[in-house]
Amino acid sequence: MRIAIAGFGTVGQGFAEVIHKKSELLSSYGPVKIVAAFDSKSYAADENGLDPVALVKNKLATGAVGDKKMKSGIDVLGSVGYDILVEVSPTDIETGGDGLRHIEYSLKHGKDVITVNKGPLALRFRELNKLAERNNAILRFEGSVGGAMPIINLCSENLKGERVKSIRGIFNGTCNFILSRMDNGLPFEQALKEAQQLGYAESDPSYDIDGIDTACKVVILANSVFRRNVKFSDVSITGISSVSPEAIALAADQEMVIRLVGEVSDTVLEVSPRLVPKGHPLSIAGTMNTAQIMTDLAGPIVIFGKGAGRMETASAILSDLIAIMDRRR
């Protein structure tokens, strides 16, 4: 199994490390090797396989994944024989960006794709699935919603036979951290600054606090679990910047907290701050993600886990990789 990695930031490096750490497990499927890896500046490619540890070391030491100057990602993919594309380049919610182009190119050429890139899925989910079907390719994306929290495969594979009636969840750890700190009396601006200092929030936090990240994940769940045909623009979105200390205090008086909740069902597609009773699964504090899945037979099922992180998201990619190899075998 020959793997090309598009994007070599935190998650791409984490996945390369996982390939090394799990080499014994993966070897039971036959040779599994990275034949290409690229970022926005450079690339490395070798049909005989690249050393994943060396790739990470070079990236950390030089800021580049390889010693070859980057052309376009399509040029790199067209120059090397690969079976699976792992697409982990930065998300572009406006156009889908390079990630969309990499995924489309690979699926058109019958290559399987694993992605955690929310942009292409939030914008072109139906089209990408049809493209995969037409070309006998597999598209998997467990890590795109909830990182290490296995929600997509749980709903689509482990809950077969169930009717999932709704999903409500905390899908953004940055927002949850900020609101948790506000529970302790911090004003919004101070809680946001603390999140930035700890590395939970970017210098421009709008993608998180405006609900955009959560909305992307809600769209992916709507299309993959509920078989809807919706896009990012279909989501009703309210972020957390308007949540005041007074609202937090009023909620506390009623034994409640305020959390940014994404909800999806056959008819609902919404992201907004909600009042949640203390002790409810969605009242979770800190940076964890959690989801409550309502089913017709099993009733409510609750899962939680780390929604982001180097190894956490890489673990979701690994699960998709093994699922593809199982199916191909």
Side-chain angles (χ1 to χ4, degrees):
M1 192 63 70
R2 301 165 299 174
I3 301 170
I5 304 176
F8 212 70
T10 299
V11 177
Q13 293 169 47
F15 176 65
E17 291 173 351
V18 164
I19 291 294
H20 173 69
K21 289 181 179 181
K22 297 293 184 177
S23 58
E24 184 176 347
L25 167 66
L26 296 173
S27 66
S28 64
Y29 291 89
V32 176
K33 55 189 178 182
I34 300 170
V35 295
F38 57 90
D39 54 23
S40 60
K41 298 178 181 177
S42 66
Y43 74 98
D46 190 334
E47 297 278 359
N48 295 316
L50 297 161
D51 181 350
V53 175
L55 285 173
V56 174
K57 285 183 177 178
N58 192 67
K59 175 70 174 183
L60 294 176
T62 68
V65 67
D67 56 6
K68 299 174 182 177
K69 189 174 180 181
M70 184 60 183
K71 301 179 281 185
S72 74
I74 301 302
D75 287 339
V76 175
L77 294 174
S79 68
V80 64
Y82 68 102
D83 305 298
I84 296 180
L85 171 69
V86 174
E87 220 302 320
V88 290
S89 62
T91 292
D92 180 342
I93 192 57
E94 298 293 330
T95 67
D98 289 337
L100 177 58
R101 287 185 281 274
H102 300 155
I103 294 171
E104 286 181 329
Y105 176 88
S106 296
L107 294 177
K108 284 177 182 177
H109 289 80
K111 311 297 184 182
D112 298 331
V113 174
I114 302 169
T115 186
V116 301
N117 193 330
K118 295 178 285 292
L121 297 173
L123 296 172
R124 301 281 297 278
F125 186 90
R126 180 67 63 88
E127 294 90 336
L128 293 176
N129 267 285
K130 287 183 177 179
L131 190 59
E133 290 173 6
R134 284 200 302 269
N135 294 283
N136 192 31
I138 301 169
L139 173 63
R140 292 184 70 99
F141 42 90
E142 177 60 65
S144 64
V145 178
M149 184 176 71
I151 186 170
I152 294 172
N153 295 338
L154 173 65
C155 291
S156 60
E157 296 174 7
N158 300 102
L159 292 177
K160 281 183 177 177
E162 295 271 358
R163 184 173 77 84
V164 177
K165 298 193 290 186
S166 68
I167 300 173
R168 294 189 300 157
I170 307 293
F171 299 120
N172 186 276
T174 300
C175 288
N176 215 54
F177 175 83
I178 292 170
L179 293 171
S180 299
R181 296 298 287 141
M182 292 179 72
D183 290 341
N184 296 325
L186 267 68
F188 174 82
E189 292 77 9
Q190 189 173 341
L192 171 58
K193 185 175 181 180
E194 185 176 331
Q196 290 171 322
Q197 290 171 341
L198 292 171
Y200 299 145
E202 302 290 340
S203 55
D204 177 4
S206 58
Y207 187 74
D208 294 317
I209 66 174
D210 290 345
I212 297 171
D213 176 66
T214 300
C216 289
K217 296 170 181 177
V218 163
V219 169
I220 295 168
L221 289 173
N223 289 329
S224 62
V225 177
F226 293 88
R227 307 302 180 193
R228 296 179 64 178
N229 183 21
V230 298
K231 293 182 170 59
F232 174 79
S233 57
D234 297 317
V235 187
S236 172
I237 309 172
T238 304
I240 66 169
S241 57
S242 61
V243 177
S244 65
E246 292 76 19
I248 295 286
L250 184 60
D253 289 341
Q254 301 175 38
E255 291 299 309
M256 292 187 171
V257 295
I258 297 177
R259 295 290 182 262
L260 184 70
V261 176
E263 182 175 1
V264 57
S265 68
D266 289 331
T267 57
V268 177
L269 201 64
E270 184 178 348
V271 175
S272 62
R274 305 271 187 92
L275 284 169
V276 180
K278 290 182 178 179
H280 188 279
L282 298 185
S283 68
I284 190 170
T287 60
M288 298 290 279
N289 282 195
T290 187
Q292 184 179 57
I293 305 163
M294 296 300 298
T295 67
D296 63 338
L297 299 178
I301 297 172
V302 178
I303 56 173
F304 69 95
K306 292 186 176 180
R310 184 188 189 96
M311 301 308 289
E312 292 82 2
T313 306
S315 74
I317 300 173
L318 176 65
S319 72
D320 279 343
L321 173 62
I322 292 174
I324 287 175
M325 291 193 296
D326 280 334
R327 181 169 163 184
R328 290 303 185 193
R329 184 164 64 175

